[in-house]
Amino acid sequence: QVQLVESGGGLVQPGGSLRLSCAASGSIFSIDAMAWYRQAPGKQRELVAVLTSGSSTTYADSVKGRFTISRGNAKNTVYLQMNSLKPEDTAVYYCNAGIISIISTTMNPEDYWGQGTQVTVSS
């Protein structure tokens, strides 16, 4: 059993900052890429940032220069530092990871998702 648990969401004023965390736990053999997605009301889920196992990063154009994705020393945790937040950043943020479990028979990464954490940017 593999779990992703997010934390760090909340209400913040425009221009403020938040740091989201996501910890992977369970029967993990290895973790490939980790990413953050978000879904605003009435909109499709969209990719915010990706961090590969080789430490390459990709960001959505809308967050470049404001958000930073990073991985913890233990490599099973991913963070999203969000600065200069705007009302349009309001959404539920989801952690995603490609994980090979210790019971895998294919040794190919499978997609896992966290439960989501609400970020609201409002004055």
Side-chain angles (χ1 to χ4, degrees):
Q1 191 82 359
V2 174
Q3 281 188 316
L4 297 180
V5 178
E6 300 112 334
S7 60
L11 172 65
V12 63
Q13 292 186 341
S17 298
L18 280 176
R19 189 193 196 205
L20 305 184
S21 300
C22 171
S25 63
S27 306
I28 297 171
F29 176 76
S30 69
I31 301 176
D32 192 20
M34 300 186 82
W36 288 95
Y37 287 75
R38 67 186 181 187
Q39 188 167 19
K43 295 188 177 180
Q44 289 190 332
R45 190 173 297 191
E46 63 173 355
L47 177 66
V48 175
V50 180
L51 177 60
T52 70
S53 57
S55 300
S56 296
T57 57
T58 302
Y59 294 94
D61 287 343
S62 59
V63 306
K64 281 180 183 176
R66 301 187 298 122
F67 291 11
T68 303
I69 188 171
S70 62
R71 209 145 164 181
N73 290 332
K75 303 299 182 185
N76 69 327
T77 303
V78 66
Y79 303 100
L80 185 68
Q81 178 67 42
M82 305 185 294
N83 299 327
S84 302
L85 282 161
K86 304 175 181 180
E88 51 263 45
D89 295 318
T90 296
V92 178
Y93 284 71
Y94 296 91
C95 177
N96 168 267
I99 295 174
I100 300 174
S101 76
I102 61 175
I103 62 171
S104 172
T105 57
T106 66
M107 299 305 287
N108 291 323
E110 295 184 32
D111 251 2
Y112 289 88
W113 293 88
Q115 80 286 357
T117 185
Q118 177 70 46
V119 171
T120 302
V121 185
S122 174
S123 54

